[in-house]
């Protein structure tokens, strides 16, 4: 089964980002997952443009940027200039989601939409064929290291059905609380991309942990 692993930089060593970026470059990981938080949409502030520019200086793999901010439309061009390949906005903050998605694509990026744990999949019924990636939040956004919410499995199945019904090419990303304990089941349920922060960076060998996640379905 083919699936992607996206280590979340939120759990990296901010005192030595160069080292952790180079570790991801060398690893079997596929993308860099980058969490941008504004302290308004979520009760935490992560980092902003200068840090993303540093990551971009070292990263040799696609930047998967997850915006946990209100009014993301204001920054779409900025993130394109910072080399984001995928730009994900939250459903809960977009009054004109169709327009936001078009803007992301017009700026040369793939468009992602993230759903909070309480947001049902069916809110995407009328827009799924425009979306490149749906990020199902398997924790409440804002912090790394939280406990995986089990209802995620039901949401993956439902989303998978919707994607097939509408013949959408959207892929499914799971973000939050991913470990070797749930990775296999998530892939089996239909996940295409697994984001993992603490599980990778708090492990003794992040390189080995990434390899293990990447081969967990074997
Ligand atoms: C949470 C972020 C996640 C986070 C995942 O708001 O969107 O990407 O970094 O961290 P872990 O894997 O530690 O749950
Ligand atoms: Zn994220």
């Amino acid at each position: 089964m083919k699936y992607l692993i996206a280590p979340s930089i939120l759990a990296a060593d901010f005192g030595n980002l160069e080292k952790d970026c180079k570790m991801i470059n060398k690893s079997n990981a596929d993308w860099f997952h980058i969490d941008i938080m504004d302290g308004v949409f979520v009760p935490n502030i992560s980092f902003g443009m200068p840090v993303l520019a540093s990551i971009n200086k070292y990263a040799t793999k696609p930047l998967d940027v997850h915006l946990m901010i209100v009014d993301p439309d204001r920054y779409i061009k900025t993130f394109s200039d910072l080399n984001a390949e995928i730009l994900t906005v939250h459903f809960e903050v977009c009054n004109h989601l169709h327009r936001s998605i078009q803007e992301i694509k017009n700026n040369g990026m793939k468009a992602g939409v993230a759903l909070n744990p309480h947001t049902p999949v069916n809110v995407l019924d009328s827009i799924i064929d425009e979306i490149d990636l749906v990020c199902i939040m398997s924790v409440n956004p804002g912090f790394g290291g939280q406990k995986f919410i089990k209802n995620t499995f039901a949401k993956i199945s439902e989303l998978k059905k919707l994607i097939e019904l509408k013949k959408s090419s959207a892929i499914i990303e799971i973000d939050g609380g991913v470990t070797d304990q749930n990775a296999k089941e998530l892939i089996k349920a239909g996940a295409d991309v697994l984001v993992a922060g603490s599980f990778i960076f708090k492990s003794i060998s992040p390189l080995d942990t990434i390899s293990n996640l990447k081969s967990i379905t074997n």
Side-chain angles (χ1 to χ4, degrees):
M1 246 182 284
K2 201 180 138 27
Y3 59 94
L4 309 179
I5 299 295
S8 175
I9 290 291
L10 190 65
D13 177 2
F14 284 82
N16 199 344
L17 269 180
E18 180 178 354
K19 177 174 145 270
D20 281 344
C21 287
K22 287 184 172 164
M23 182 282 291
I24 296 175
N25 290 341
K26 201 167 85 176
S27 76
N28 290 332
D30 300 277
W31 293 349
F32 283 69
H33 184 82
I34 294 162
D35 291 307
I36 308 284
M37 304 177 184
D38 66 356
V40 179
F41 175 58
V42 289
N44 194 13
I45 299 174
S46 55
F47 52 83
M49 285 61 172
V51 174
L52 178 53
S54 299
I55 296 167
N56 185 41
K57 198 162 96 190
Y58 300 115
T60 57
K61 295 178 180 179
L63 307 182
D64 169 35
V65 178
H66 175 195
L67 298 184
M68 282 159 275
I69 64 175
V70 296
D71 209 359
D73 295 12
R74 290 171 66 191
Y75 303 103
I76 290 174
K77 183 171 181 315
T78 309
F79 284 106
S80 163
D81 293 342
L82 286 164
N83 206 26
E85 179 143 335
I86 304 113
L87 191 65
T88 296
V89 294
H90 263 264
F91 172 83
E92 297 81 9
V93 297
C94 291
N95 288 330
H96 304 283
L97 184 59
H98 188 276
R99 184 183 293 148
S100 304
I101 289 170
Q102 295 315 312
E103 274 303 300
I104 293 171
K105 291 181 175 174
N106 290 342
N107 278 275
M109 298 173 286
K110 296 208 171 76
V113 177
L115 301 179
N116 273 343
H118 75 276
T119 304
V121 163
N122 65 18
V123 296
L124 300 178
D125 278 4
S126 307
I127 190 96
I128 191 71
D129 51 333
E130 305 279 345
I131 299 175
D132 297 306
L133 175 149
V134 178
C135 174
I136 299 183
M137 291 306 302
S138 37
V139 297
N140 285 293
F143 303 92
Q146 302 181 81
K147 195 168 168 266
F148 179 85
I149 297 170
K150 289 221 169 78
N151 185 49
T152 304
F153 289 110
K155 288 177 85 170
I156 298 175
S157 311
E158 210 183 315
L159 178 57
K160 195 97 198 137
K161 274 188 214 142
L162 179 64
I163 288 171
E164 278 162 18
L165 181 73
K166 305 273 183 171
K167 299 191 171 45
S168 161
S169 53
I171 60 172
I172 303 175
E173 178 176 74
I174 306 303
D175 188 7
V178 171
T179 69
D180 59 354
Q181 298 301 300
N182 52 26
K184 195 171 183 173
E185 212 177 331
L186 287 168
I187 301 299
K188 229 173 82 190
D192 301 294
V193 187
L194 300 181
V195 174
S198 330
F199 184 67
I200 289 174
F201 286 99
K202 304 238 178 303
S203 68
I204 294 166
S205 167
L207 271 180
D208 290 344
T209 305
I210 292 170
S211 284
N212 291 341
L213 283 175
K214 193 66 192 171
S215 56
I216 209 151
T217 56
N218 291 347

